[in-house]
Amino acid sequence: MKKYKIGLSRINNKGLFAKINIKKGTKIIDYLGKIITKKETDRNPKFDNSKAIYLYNLSSKYDLDGDFAYNTARLINHSCNPNCEVDGKGLKLWISSIKDIKKGEELSYDYGFGYDEDYKQFPCKCRSKNCCGYIVREGSRWRINAKFKKNKSSK
């Protein structure tokens, strides 16, 4: 039995929602796609940040392109207060719960984008209390918060 269903998301367009109560540590769904080489990633214009990208770094040689309709896990949205994480072994990835999730709750994970000059291209709409306004991994959000605090105090 599937533990999730597709629904309209408050975060962004469609999302996945818990169809049942899910306990912490539960494997929920595999992240599917096509394994491609880093060279293929670099050459492919579809990975130019102008649209949604469903790409995971698997190793120093390979990425997983999850931009396929059969990859239902691609519908899981980012949150700065996630209830899931991406886990994996070898060339396989899956989504697991990192806390108990109630039936009807939207599944989310931290996309883990790094802080760089392009962070403003990725606004975050998760509305969590600790959201810095951009899709940036937890360990880098302090940089954005510090930048905004500095800008507010200089006015």
Side-chain angles (χ1 to χ4, degrees):
M1 179 172 122
K2 289 183 182 177
K3 298 171 183 75
Y4 58 86
K5 62 182 178 180
I6 298 170
L8 293 178
S9 170
R10 283 186 32 197
I11 298 172
N12 186 33
N13 199 8
K14 290 181 183 175
L16 290 191
F17 295 81
K19 194 172 175 181
I20 59 172
N21 289 332
I22 300 171
K23 293 278 186 206
K24 177 180 178 178
T26 302
K27 181 180 172 183
I28 300 170
I29 185 173
D30 288 326
Y31 196 94
L32 304 173
K34 179 182 174 190
I35 296 170
I36 59 176
T37 65
K38 296 285 185 188
K39 286 180 184 177
E40 288 175 282
T41 301
D42 291 341
R43 286 193 307 253
N44 195 325
K46 88 176 191 181
F47 302 122
D48 70 357
N49 291 341
S50 65
K51 69 175 195 86
I53 296 174
Y54 307 98
L55 186 70
Y56 273 94
N57 176 20
L58 294 173
S59 70
S60 60
K61 292 184 180 183
Y62 299 103
D63 289 329
L64 178 65
D65 176 5
D67 190 14
F68 298 95
Y70 61 80
N71 180 27
T72 307
R74 80 190 191 291
L75 298 176
I76 299 175
N77 285 305
H78 165 84
S79 176
C80 297
N81 187 24
N83 52 22
C84 297
E85 68 182 359
V86 179
D87 204 353
K89 185 172 185 177
L91 300 178
K92 294 192 180 270
L93 295 176
W94 58 87
I95 312 299
S96 298
S97 57
I98 56 173
K99 53 178 93 167
D100 290 346
I101 303 171
K102 293 181 180 158
K103 180 180 178 179
E105 189 176 338
E106 183 168 2
L107 305 179
S108 63
Y109 62 88
D110 184 341
Y111 283 4
F113 291 0
Y115 174 84
D116 61 24
E117 296 304 315
D118 294 335
Y119 77 89
K120 289 184 179 180
Q121 289 184 52
F122 307 104
C124 182
K125 302 171 190 166
C126 77
R127 300 183 186 110
S128 65
K129 289 181 182 179
N130 64 332
C131 181
C132 68
Y134 297 94
I135 300 175
V136 176
R137 74 173 147 254
E138 182 179 14
S140 296
R141 289 185 203 129
W142 67 270
R143 292 177 171 178
I144 294 171
N145 291 331
K147 188 180 252 188
F148 286 125
K149 192 178 277 187
K150 182 180 175 185
N151 288 343
K152 283 182 181 177
S153 64
S154 65
K155 289 183 180 181

